[in-house]
Amino acid sequence: MTKPICDTRPDTDNGTGVPRPWWKGASIYQIYPRSFADANGDGIGDLAGITAKLDHIAELGVNAIWLSPFFPSPMRDFGYDVADYCGVDPIFGTLKDFDALVARAHALGLKVLIDQVFSHSSDQHPWFVDSRSSATAAKADWYVWADAKPDGSPPSNWQSVFGGPAWTWDARRGQYYMHNFLKEQPQLNVHNPAVQAALLGVLRFWLDRGVDGFRMDAVNFAMHDPQLRDNPPAPDTGKPRTRPFDFQLKVYNQSHADIPGFVERMRALIDTYGDKFTVAEVGGDDAEREMKLFTAGGTRFDSAYGFDFLYAEKLTPQIVAQALTGWPDTPGTGWPSWAFENHDAPRALSRWAAPEHREAFARLKILLLIALRGNIFLYQGEELGLPQVEIPFERLQDPEAIANWPLTLSRDGARTPMPWRRNANDMGFGSGDPWLPFGDDHGPLAVDAQSADPASLLNLTRAALALRKTHPALAVGSIAILHCDADVLAFERIEGDERIVAAFNLSAEPAAWPAALPAKGAVVMAVNDAAPGSLPGHGALLFTPD
């Protein structure tokens, strides 16, 4: 039976009587601090700005927020190059501001997750400053150093994600240091027990400040092959290759077999703080296997998400069905998380829908997201239906986009300032000349304009998230694919006595109702005029069959 909306008794996990962890089936809202809200008018969003806007997130009905990095950093990769794991960069505020944010979020019933970047640091981190000073320094082996080959070339053929070799020569040590990303992001030697102990200390620092969990960045990059063996070439798949990184199978510079052991050490520590949540970001060619590896057995991370949807040029029934069936509800299999958008990927509506169909597709997309088995992530502005912003070259900030221009999609176009007030010169962001330009077409999509419109995507998103909270079948139920063809996807979600059938027409044209589906039932939620037995273009509905 569906739990009444006024029933405050805790949900239980599969009828066991054991309270379900707060995070299982949760909806989580990602905040990119630079672009959310600016409290001091310097053009860059900050923690105080986030705190002032938390009511908006609470009104959405999500369970938690995830903050992208706000730590001290030279900002070569906008916070993912950490210079101090236990502080706040002055552009974002202070630790006191962070504590105030956590307190306000908790008062609103929101959990707080923060990023941890444990595969690499900034080259300005004191650990690396010491490490590069001498081969006999106290932290000499806290990073990955290696001698040149006899001809002076790098120790291996490994390539960095952002282009060029994954090795940079350092004359102070007379060696190369490794970096999977920018040369300003040296690779931590996480094989080293002292490094592991220091990173566990970082987790303890933030747990003591009241955070409710962590999103672990680039986990499968955390360890390398100590033998420094060359990666083999990747087979040609026919896809364009814009970086040397694309020409290799990443066998030896990532995904080392010792990573799960460190994951278990992190989990053991985190569990001593009670009901916390950990989610791993896992990308790459072997992402699904690694996601399951890092979440297996209840002693590793609680969940993981990959890039099934984030870089998909088109959303098809086959892509969704394949992603969902890859995570069966079997003992020992981890719990998945799903994101259609984030700070590293172009806005989904610009990838998946023609401009004339974006409004309808956005409605379908939110209904699909809340119907997926697993946790769901919304990226700031996704609830408004923001499209990607075209950033001119001279305004680009993204180092990867600048390096590979114009053959890569800039991440900046999804990082533009959040529009809060339609008619304000600064769109309510807090500064009229922000670090990235406003989207020219974002004004009509602003929070105040959509809040006042009962038929807006924002209000639909609020209703959809409330629906997921009040229907256990949607939050944690089992899933089975009922129909999948070129245009239509249908599946059922079941938890206890509750059964909800979900049907989605991903094309702009009307589709035939699948014969495998019941054609009658009570509508739970529908968009774009869909109804049992009828799927107009981009029609989507959830219903309980008669």
Side-chain angles (χ1 to χ4, degrees):
M1 297 295 291
T2 302
K3 190 174 81 171
I5 193 168
C6 58
D7 190 343
T8 58
R9 293 171 296 172
D11 290 311
T12 60
D13 209 355
N14 295 325
T16 62
V18 178
R20 189 172 78 229
W22 69 263
W23 54 262
K24 195 167 187 180
S27 52
I28 300 164
Y29 187 92
Q30 182 194 354
I31 297 173
Y32 193 70
R34 295 182 71 90
S35 301
F36 196 64
D38 178 8
N40 64 3
D42 65 355
I44 297 173
D46 44 46
L47 297 182
I50 294 169
T51 303
K53 298 293 188 183
L54 284 175
D55 283 358
H56 165 72
I57 301 173
E59 289 168 5
L60 274 180
V62 298
N63 302 95
I65 59 172
W66 152 34
L67 300 174
S68 291
F70 51 83
F71 315 111
S73 167
M75 300 295 167
R76 295 305 299 264
D77 192 25
F78 296 104
Y80 285 91
D81 49 327
V82 180
D84 177 1
Y85 286 104
C86 298
V88 173
D89 194 285
I91 66 170
F92 297 127
T94 64
L95 280 171
K96 183 177 179 180
D97 292 325
F98 177 79
D99 293 341
L101 188 159
V102 172
R104 178 59 180 158
H106 286 169
L108 291 170
L110 295 168
K111 304 288 188 180
V112 178
L113 313 177
I114 65 172
D115 252 318
Q116 292 297 333
V117 188
F118 284 176
S119 66
H120 55 264
S121 76
S122 165
D123 62 351
Q124 296 184 28
H125 196 294
W127 298 347
F128 187 71
V129 172
D130 179 80
S131 187
R132 79 189 313 179
S133 67
S134 166
T136 59
K139 295 180 172 58
D141 58 352
W142 280 42
Y143 291 82
V144 181
W145 294 92
D147 293 332
K149 289 182 177 180
D151 63 358
S153 60
S156 73
N157 72 346
W158 301 345
Q159 298 294 311
S160 72
V161 173
F162 290 159
W167 297 96
T168 290
W169 176 258
D170 190 280
R172 276 157 286 199
R173 282 190 51 151
Q175 289 181 305
Y176 283 93
Y177 68 87
M178 178 190 168
H179 51 90
N180 277 308
F181 298 91
L182 296 173
K183 65 181 178 63
E184 294 85 4
Q185 294 171 297
Q187 181 78 15
L188 280 160
N189 181 15
V190 184
H191 289 290
N192 186 334
V195 173
Q196 292 192 17
L199 296 177
L200 292 174
V202 171
L203 296 180
R204 191 178 292 110
F205 175 87
W206 292 109
L207 288 164
D208 286 342
R209 297 197 90 89
V211 303
D212 301 290
F214 304 99
R215 179 263 196 187
M216 311 303 293
D217 182 73
V219 172
N220 51 343
F221 284 91
M223 294 185 188
H224 67 294
D225 170 35
Q227 297 180 48
L228 308 183
R229 287 170 283 187
D230 283 350
N231 281 331
D236 188 354
T237 63
K239 294 181 178 179
R241 293 171 166 178
T242 62
R243 308 165 297 177
F245 183 79
D246 300 328
F247 286 80
Q248 294 183 355
L249 295 176
K250 275 66 75 175
V251 176
Y252 295 116
N253 64 316
Q254 63 185 74
S255 309
H256 192 274
D258 289 346
I259 295 175
F262 181 48
V263 170
E264 290 178 356
R265 291 194 70 194
M266 289 190 281
R267 175 63 184 271
L269 168 65
I270 293 166
D271 280 352
T272 65
Y273 284 81
D275 194 11
K276 306 299 182 181
F277 173 61
T278 50
V279 58
E281 177 210 32
V282 183
D285 302 330
D286 199 20
E288 183 178 308
R289 182 191 68 82
E290 292 186 309
M291 288 163 68
K292 292 175 180 174
L293 178 67
F294 298 150
T295 59
T299 58
R300 298 176 182 174
F301 294 133
D302 295 307
S303 188
Y305 81 90
F307 294 80
D308 302 80
F309 304 118
L310 290 172
Y311 292 133
E313 295 181 2
K314 183 179 180 181
L315 188 67
T316 67
Q318 291 78 14
I319 288 175
V320 180
Q322 181 177 352
L324 293 174
T325 55
W327 288 85
D329 187 10
T330 54
T333 301
W335 183 255
S337 289
W338 308 107
F340 290 162
E341 300 186 8
N342 76 3
H343 64 291
D344 278 336
R347 291 283 185 181
L349 291 182
S350 296
R351 286 182 280 129
W352 294 344
E356 64 271 21
H357 298 307
R358 283 178 186 165
E359 184 176 347
F361 197 94
R363 295 175 179 277
L364 175 148
K365 183 170 73 73
I366 188 60
L367 206 60
L368 174 61
L369 185 63
I370 66 109
L372 299 180
R373 176 184 175 271
N375 293 342
I376 59 172
F377 285 84
L378 288 93
Y379 176 54
Q380 64 184 50
E382 189 171 0
E383 74 276 23
L384 306 177
L386 297 186
Q388 182 82 352
V389 178
E390 293 295 327
I391 307 294
F393 180 80
E394 62 272 14
R395 291 296 306 270
L396 283 177
Q397 305 288 331
D398 176 11
E400 196 263 344
I402 293 170
N404 296 297
W405 177 267
L407 297 178
T408 187
L409 287 169
S410 166
R411 297 178 296 177
D412 290 338
R415 298 176 175 181
T416 55
M418 183 84 168
W420 295 99
R421 298 200 305 273
R422 176 176 185 171
N423 294 319
N425 291 334
D426 64 356
M427 289 197 189
F429 175 66
S431 49
D433 186 22
W435 75 289
L436 282 173
F438 296 111
D440 291 340
D441 54 357
H442 286 188
L445 302 174
V447 172
D448 66 341
Q450 293 205 40
S451 291
D453 178 6
S456 69
L457 178 66
L458 173 58
N459 281 313
L460 175 69
T461 301
R462 291 167 174 164
L465 290 169
L467 192 75
R468 184 175 168 94
K469 277 186 174 180
T470 55
H471 287 272
L474 296 177
V476 295
S478 63
I479 191 166
I481 305 298
L482 302 178
H483 180 88
C484 180
D485 63 26
D487 297 323
V488 175
L489 172 71
F491 52 81
E492 65 180 4
R493 303 293 311 279
I494 297 175
E495 178 70 6
D497 296 332
E498 183 179 48
R499 178 191 181 205
I500 294 178
V501 173
F504 306 91
N505 177 9
L506 296 175
S507 79
E509 302 299 322
W513 186 259
L517 301 188
K520 294 182 179 180
V523 173
V524 177
M525 179 173 279
V527 298
N528 302 327
D529 299 320
S534 175
L535 281 176
H538 293 143
L541 79 156
L542 311 176
F543 69 102
T544 55
D546 289 344

